[in-house]
Amino acid sequence: MRQPKVEETDRLLTEIAKSGDQLPAAERRQFLKSGLSMLGGAAALAGAAKYAPPNVPPWTKSLGAPVIADPYGQPSPFEKDVVRRNVPWLTADRIASISFTPLADIKGIITPSGLVFERYHAGRPEIDPDEHHLMIHGMVDRPIILSMDELMRFPSTSMIRFLECPANGGMEWRGAQMTKLQFTHGMLSCCEWTGVLLSTILAEVGVQKGANWILAEGADGSLMSRSIPMEKALDDALVVFAQNGEALRREQGYPIRLINPGWEGNTCIKWLRRLEIGDSPYYQREETSKYTDLMPDGKAREFTFVQEANSVVTTPSPENPLKGKGKYWLEGLAWSGRGKVKAVDVSFDGGISWRPARLTGMIEPRALTRFGLEWDWDGSPALIQSRCIDETGYVQPTYTQLRAVRGSSSIYHKNAIHTWRLHADGSVTNVQVS
Amino acid sequence: MFRFPKLYKFKRLSLIVLLVAAFATTVVNAKVKGVGHYGYGKVATAEEIAGWDIDIRPDGRGLPPGSGSVEDGEILYEDQCASCHGSFGEGVGKYPVLAGGEGTLTEERPEKTVGSFWAHTSTLFDYIRRAMPFPQPASLSDEETYAITAYVLYLNDLVEDDFVLSQDTWDEVAKLPNNSNFVPDPRPDTQAVRCMKDCKKEVKIVSEPTITAEEVAAADDTIVKAAAGNENEKGASVYNGACAVCHNSGVAGAPKLDDKATWKARLALGEATLIKHAIEGFQGDAGMMPPKGGRMDLSDEDVAAAVKFMLAEAE
């Protein structure tokens, strides 16, 4: 937990009161009590600060910056460490590479656009939307080329959905390796996506008999491409032009990208330029050489689209260590590519016993879902885990269960229960347990 | 032939059912709209489609006319690919390995290459033509792509040195050795239950990271941090984003950033000339410097800043 700064006291108080509102009466009283004791701690600490009461800080006795001092607003400079980061040794360079979302500081189900993880195969192109086109052709009655203005004239819809790289956590298959939450789980974000349902566009062009697959292709230097089954295209695939209410970010495919909710991030082709309707899959590099899951018997699973149920505790975590014993609000994120999160359990003893957590906030299908649990830490070491159960009844597996079926060479789709080791000094490290 | 989950093979009827279902569940489409209902966009001509329709399918659909030999492929590969993928396809540094690894798929450290893992030669032709050579994607002609594809097959001992790849010989090599080892997705494949108490007898820590966060940060060799006194921040950022891909490692004959002797000799031409070469492109004895490093989105000032940064680093 961050030590609240004195000027944050008010905000914290409001927040605590607000989150307390969502709890049943008994728990709410308990929660407010602990929240206030936390504030008490903050105030005691703040006693050392220059502007704690009764002193008045200079920003109260002067004028602040005018409107449009920042025509496009930026986070407070005090938040400068909340940024995407990469792991240099993972890739040969930063052009075909990946960066990670700082999950330890994510306090909602919407990932701010500037913090959404990046994955490029040939860098981030700079595309003039007036020069960008979407071509839809192949087994259709009316092959068309759409300008961006034309695309945006179609009826549009919005949905909050997570986006996850199937390699998220893939570095942990053979054992705990990464030292921060940002790197163990940060190939994960969640946004509100606005666009045109692919089914609307397919109806407009007229899909012919025998058409079962769609090749989606980007306009970047890798002409990134993947085959999408017609079933998904007609279900909830979305041709997206806006993210969190504004134009899609360049990192996310400006001016347009595909979103296949709940599926591998790489199927959500960015800088989308072409959709070819065909009778069978196209066997592109990213669905044969990569993004296939090698099993211990030497067989490889292909078209492993769904991101199965997963979860992680974000406080405590290596980035959010505990500051002494006392009451804490443990919190984390859960998600499932198959639908809604139904429940999340938390263990403090490495999985021997479990307590149900509370789902806090909006529960959308195939979206990040927050969970939390009040916990009184007595200062002794603990092995903290979370376990997600989704609406299909699927229960997030342990490493032992996952490896028993898949070995440890499959790179992708590692959704095992994660363990944080809490040390007596409050620091937290990544471990794997039996 | 094609292997994909049964789930996705469905007939016209189920397609219509799905279509109706998809529309019924969305607010914006109360009923199915007919083909061309909105009439947006322009109907694509055959010529327009041909310009973008670059994919090749396993059975050879999409292959362009032309051919290429292993012999021609060797020269092209050495010139344009070997600096990253190695003369034998063994991979340089962290760049992908393209050959070898046969029989390793069940081993502790499987080596997945064209010869040991890939299923279709179409994937190789298609990918090389769309995305390689990495610094200049989509720059190869069809003939060159045929030749280099043939050569990568040769590096994997899949064809003889007199092989010529074309539409006519495609069937001989269309299926790669590992072709039959891909299976549909059987997930969910774990059956965890929601146990709440006494779920196991004891817990042992079985693994912890062996590297520290500090070591991870120190290992960042992909970003050149400016030397003391080089305060050209813009140049550093352009360099790291656009030029490092070749000039860090010396790929494609690019003079390496830390090769002071080369830069000293080149500086004899004068800074202005070097900037001009970087902006306009330059074919020298060492290789081909593409205009602006292939990043046409950069302004002339950006490139000039990068050159100044490079020269200051080399001092």
Side-chain angles (χ1 to χ4, degrees):
Chain A
M1 282 226 161
R2 287 269 193 79
Q3 211 54 257
K5 292 185 195 93
V6 65
E7 69 267 25
E8 281 180 6
T9 307
D10 258 9
R11 190 182 54 77
L12 251 172
L13 194 56
T14 325
E15 252 180 33
I16 288 172
K18 259 199 252 153
S19 11
D21 276 351
Q22 288 154 12
L23 302 174
E27 234 188 294
R28 178 160 179 251
R29 273 192 302 278
Q30 183 54 33
F31 181 80
L32 283 176
K33 237 166 74 189
S34 64
L36 289 172
S37 78
M38 200 175 92
L39 275 180
L45 208 127
K50 257 201 298 200
Y51 300 117
N55 300 339
V56 176
W59 51 87
T60 308
K61 295 193 283 183
S62 59
L63 299 179
V67 296
I68 60 167
D70 300 302
Y72 193 102
Q74 298 295 317
S76 158
F78 295 98
E79 298 297 318
K80 66 176 181 358
D81 293 333
V82 183
V83 291
R84 296 184 284 230
R85 293 186 175 82
N86 73 327
V87 175
W89 53 262
L90 271 185
T91 51
D93 57 53
R94 291 190 295 127
I95 292 171
S97 193
I98 187 147
S99 71
F100 300 76
T101 295
L103 291 182
D105 290 291
I106 295 297
K107 296 291 179 187
I109 68 169
I110 299 288
T111 312
S113 301
L115 295 178
V116 175
F117 75 95
E118 306 155 283
R119 173 73 174 109
Y120 307 141
H121 290 269
R124 181 195 77 197
E126 198 79 87
I127 296 178
D128 174 354
D130 292 339
E131 289 292 342
H132 189 74
H133 297 90
L134 175 62
M135 182 161 91
I136 306 118
H137 70 108
M139 296 172 73
V140 300
D141 294 336
R142 188 171 179 268
I144 55 173
I145 299 169
L146 293 169
S147 69
M148 294 304 97
D149 284 345
E150 286 158 346
L151 176 73
M152 284 182 214
R153 283 173 65 187
F154 282 102
S156 66
T157 186
S158 302
M159 42 179 101
I160 296 174
R161 298 291 181 266
F162 75 78
L163 182 72
E164 185 183 25
C165 175
N168 199 15
M171 295 84 83
E172 308 274 300
W173 271 112
R174 294 197 166 90
Q177 195 175 10
M178 309 313 287
T179 52
K180 295 244 159 80
L181 166 60
Q182 184 159 16
F183 305 123
T184 58
H185 290 81
M187 300 180 187
L188 171 72
S189 298
C190 183
C191 296
E192 183 199 41
W193 308 103
T194 298
V196 182
L197 281 168
L198 185 46
S199 56
T200 304
I201 299 175
L202 291 177
E204 174 72 8
V205 296
V207 172
Q208 292 173 354
K209 197 175 166 171
N212 290 326
W213 287 80
I214 299 178
L215 179 76
E217 181 180 271
D220 62 316
S222 73
L223 287 156
M224 175 69 188
S225 50
R226 283 229 46 181
S227 307
I228 314 294
M230 187 63 74
E231 190 188 37
K232 184 69 172 175
L234 296 179
D235 178 11
D236 58 355
L238 194 66
V239 177
V240 168
F241 50 77
Q243 168 188 11
N244 297 336
E246 63 178 350
L248 205 55
R249 288 289 170 90
R250 296 172 298 176
E251 296 94 313
Q252 296 306 319
Y254 181 85
I256 53 168
R257 78 175 303 169
L258 193 61
I259 286 284
N260 291 307
W263 281 19
E264 304 191 314
N266 63 79
T267 67
C268 304
I269 299 294
K270 301 195 275 191
W271 313 292
L272 185 69
R273 75 159 196 176
R274 187 165 77 96
L275 294 166
E276 179 175 348
I277 322 302
D279 55 2
S280 49
Y282 290 76
Y283 287 103
Q284 295 291 290
R285 184 243 185 179
E286 313 297 346
E287 53 204 19
T288 52
S289 165
K290 305 290 167 208
Y291 308 117
T292 48
D293 307 28
L294 182 61
M295 294 295 119
D297 63 358
K299 302 266 181 204
R301 296 173 177 177
E302 60 181 13
F303 302 115
T304 45
F305 292 121
V306 142
Q307 293 293 108
E308 294 189 291
N310 205 341
S311 67
V312 69
V313 172
T314 56
T315 297
S317 64
E319 292 98 317
N320 291 326
L322 301 187
K323 307 258 158 78
K325 51 183 147 182
K327 296 229 167 37
Y328 284 97
W329 184 246
L330 173 147
E331 61 183 13
L333 296 166
W335 62 101
S336 166
R338 292 205 180 90
K340 288 183 180 171
V341 169
K342 192 174 74 187
V344 178
D345 302 321
V346 172
S347 173
F348 295 95
D349 54 16
I352 295 175
S353 61
W354 295 84
R355 278 173 60 185
R358 175 176 301 279
L359 302 184
T360 52
M362 255 165 99
I363 304 171
E364 284 286 302
R366 299 165 170 167
L368 289 187
T369 305
R370 302 184 72 207
F371 64 87
L373 178 140
E374 191 189 313
W375 174 52
D376 201 348
W377 185 42
D378 64 5
S380 51
L383 293 169
I384 301 175
Q385 302 183 328
S386 64
R387 175 176 73 186
C388 175
I389 296 102
D390 73 17
E391 64 176 334
T392 69
Y394 174 92
V395 179
Q396 189 184 346
T398 62
Y399 268 106
T400 311
Q401 287 165 333
L402 206 56
R403 288 194 187 112
V405 195
R406 304 195 203 153
S408 55
S409 292
S410 63
I411 300 176
Y412 308 106
H413 300 295
K414 190 235 72 187
N415 66 327
I417 291 171
H418 187 75
T419 311
W420 292 130
R421 178 181 188 180
L422 173 63
H423 300 263
D425 65 359
S427 66
V428 178
T429 54
N430 175 18
V431 297
Q432 290 182 10
V433 298
S434 56
Chain B
M1 267 289 289
F2 309 120
R3 305 163 312 278
F4 46 93
K6 281 228 171 52
L7 187 66
Y8 302 127
K9 282 188 193 163
F10 45 90
K11 306 212 171 67
R12 180 72 168 167
L13 184 68
S14 51
L15 198 123
I16 292 168
V17 171
L18 272 168
L19 246 170
V20 173
F23 286 128
T25 53
T26 60
V27 192
V28 288
N29 287 294
K31 56 180 197 259
V32 178
K33 305 283 200 316
V35 175
H37 171 83
Y38 297 101
Y40 301 158
K42 70 180 289 292
V43 172
T45 65
E47 195 191 348
E48 286 166 336
I49 294 172
W52 278 16
D53 185 4
I54 52 168
D55 54 87
I56 317 293
R57 285 183 261 186
D59 57 8
R61 269 185 289 172
L63 278 173
S67 67
S69 65
V70 170
E71 206 183 333
D72 291 343
E74 177 170 13
I75 300 165
L76 291 161
Y77 180 92
E78 266 306 318
D79 202 32
Q80 303 203 40
C81 323
S83 54
C84 292
H85 295 294
S87 287
F88 305 99
E90 76 280 15
V92 174
K94 280 170 245 165
Y95 289 111
V97 177
L98 300 185
E102 288 81 6
T104 64
L105 296 184
T106 53
E107 285 176 6
E108 173 68 19
R109 299 276 162 177
E111 191 159 69
K112 297 194 276 183
T113 74
V114 174
S116 71
F117 188 66
W118 291 33
H120 308 281
T121 297
S122 59
T123 311
L124 184 61
F125 186 107
D126 175 295
Y127 182 70
I128 293 174
R129 193 171 62 157
R130 77 173 58 227
M132 290 291 136
F134 186 60
Q136 289 141 293
S139 63
L140 296 171
S141 70
D142 293 339
E143 301 271 332
E144 287 171 331
T145 311
Y146 271 114
I148 296 174
T149 304
Y151 189 67
V152 175
L153 294 176
Y154 172 77
L155 286 176
N156 280 285
D157 298 325
L158 298 172
V159 296
E160 299 296 320
D161 58 6
D162 58 356
F163 182 72
V164 177
L165 183 63
S166 69
Q167 281 169 326
D168 296 336
T169 56
W170 186 260
D171 289 346
E172 296 169 31
V173 293
K175 279 188 186 167
L176 292 170
N178 196 43
N179 184 283
S180 60
N181 287 319
F182 288 83
V183 295
D185 182 4
R187 295 176 304 156
D189 57 352
T190 52
Q191 282 81 38
V193 291
R194 194 181 176 190
C195 165
M196 300 304 286
K197 255 210 225 103
D198 303 323
C199 303
K200 44 189 170 184
K201 284 206 191 64
E202 50 155 23
V203 170
K204 271 204 265 340
I205 291 173
V206 294
S207 100
E208 289 185 88
T210 48
I211 40 171
T212 65
E214 291 67 37
E215 282 165 342
V216 171
D220 192 345
D221 54 4
T222 60
I223 303 179
V224 175
K225 291 174 193 86
N230 192 350
E231 273 150 24
N232 183 353
E233 263 176 49
K234 180 180 174 195
S237 118
V238 174
Y239 175 82
N240 281 309
C243 323
V245 60
C246 291
H247 286 282
N248 267 11
S249 57
V251 153
K256 284 175 75 169
L257 185 65
D258 57 9
D259 185 349
K260 296 192 182 200
T262 311
W263 287 107
K264 208 169 163 202
R266 287 180 188 261
L267 196 55
L269 293 173
E271 187 181 274
T273 309
L274 294 184
I275 291 174
K276 186 166 179 282
H277 285 171
I279 292 171
E280 292 171 2
F282 174 65
Q283 173 74 62
D285 297 336
M288 159 75 184
M289 161 73 205
K292 298 187 175 177
R295 284 280 305 273
M296 299 317 285
D297 58 305
L298 294 176
S299 67
D300 291 358
E301 292 72 45
D302 290 340
V303 179
V307 174
K308 286 184 180 147
F309 169 81
M310 292 164 77
L311 295 175
E313 285 295 302
E315 248 171 33

